[in-house]
Amino acid sequence: MIKNSKFSKEINQRVIKEQRLRVGYVKGKNSRPSFKVLDRQNTKWLKQVLRQNGWPTISLVGKKASEGAWLLTQHADQDILFQKKVLQLLKKAYGKNSRDIQKWQIAYLTDRILKNQKKSQHFGTQTIKDARQGKYYLWPVIDPKNLNKRRKLFNLITSEKYLTSINKNWAKYLKKPKYKKS
């Protein structure tokens, strides 16, 4: 049951808008600064929301909007301190009620922060694209030998399957984005 449908709707609308800009950028229709500006606006809005409501958990806004808030945070690359704060909120919320947070979000945000700090990641969720080959590879990983063990603990598929999926499905995503109007 969604307790705050207005909040949920606002998150979902923001995600739709930012995803359209990102897909447009990859397709060459939008400039990078256009979604950087939107990312800053979304981060500012989300900070205010967090001060008033706390993290938008699944029980507060529903699974789609909670995931959307995470995505907006994931794209708040210009504000690593904010991403770190949200990571702590996610961990705390997961500790209180593991059904209220999707555990994989903790892994992705952890890695995103590390990548933004130019450090090796823990879970192998962040990629880089080789422009010459047009293929995605993992951003450097700490202890690659045990990577898939760590991934499994956070409900993630193996790194090999993940990379295969990214390289196979990225073009499909650009044609048909995941986030549509609700």
Side-chain angles (χ1 to χ4, degrees):
M1 181 176 147
I2 299 173
K3 293 180 182 176
N4 194 328
S5 61
K6 182 181 177 187
F7 186 24
S8 175
K9 187 176 180 179
E10 175 71 19
I11 293 168
N12 291 334
Q13 288 172 342
R14 286 176 177 273
V15 169
I16 290 166
K17 185 176 180 181
E18 76 103 31
Q19 287 293 287
R20 284 188 180 147
L21 275 175
R22 278 192 158 65
V23 170
Y25 168 72
V26 174
K27 288 182 176 181
K29 295 179 182 176
N30 297 326
S31 67
R32 183 174 209 94
S34 64
F35 69 79
K36 294 276 187 194
V37 169
L38 186 60
D39 288 342
R40 280 189 211 77
Q41 291 169 353
N42 285 335
T43 300
K44 183 179 177 181
W45 173 81
L46 200 51
K47 283 178 177 181
Q48 181 182 2
V49 164
L50 294 181
R51 280 192 295 274
Q52 294 170 353
N53 303 297
W55 182 254
T57 60
I58 292 171
S59 62
L60 179 63
V61 297
K63 186 176 179 181
K64 182 179 177 182
S66 183
E67 189 174 306
W70 164 83
L71 184 65
L72 296 177
T73 302
Q74 190 79 346
H75 292 156
D77 295 320
Q78 77 287 349
D79 195 338
I80 298 171
L81 291 176
F82 172 68
Q83 289 178 322
K84 286 180 175 183
K85 179 181 178 181
V86 169
L87 180 59
Q88 294 310 310
L89 291 173
L90 288 172
K91 288 177 178 178
K92 186 177 178 180
Y94 184 81
K96 285 183 179 177
N97 180 358
S98 63
R99 293 185 193 152
D100 238 357
I101 298 293
Q102 297 177 81
K103 196 173 182 180
W104 59 264
Q105 293 173 342
I106 294 170
Y108 273 81
L109 188 53
T110 297
D111 282 354
R112 186 67 165 234
I113 291 166
L114 289 168
K115 182 180 179 186
N116 285 337
Q117 295 174 323
K118 309 287 188 249
K119 296 179 181 178
S120 296
Q121 60 183 325
H122 290 281
F123 301 100
T125 65
Q126 302 300 297
T127 59
I128 50 175
K129 185 176 182 180
D130 183 321
R132 288 176 283 144
Q133 295 180 351
K135 195 172 180 184
Y136 289 88
Y137 296 92
L138 291 182
W139 181 263
V141 176
I142 295 170
D143 186 20
K145 181 180 173 187
N146 293 303
L147 174 60
N148 285 328
K149 289 178 187 175
R150 292 191 303 275
R151 289 179 66 85
K152 188 174 182 178
L153 291 172
F154 282 77
N155 306 321
L156 300 169
I157 59 175
T158 66
S159 60
E160 296 80 11
K161 286 181 182 177
Y162 178 64
L163 278 175
T164 298
S165 175
I166 286 175
N167 282 304
K168 181 179 176 184
N169 295 319
W170 185 240
K172 289 180 190 177
Y173 171 80
L174 293 176
K175 291 178 185 169
K176 188 177 180 183
K178 178 180 175 182
Y179 292 92
K180 299 177 186 175
K181 281 191 175 179
S182 50

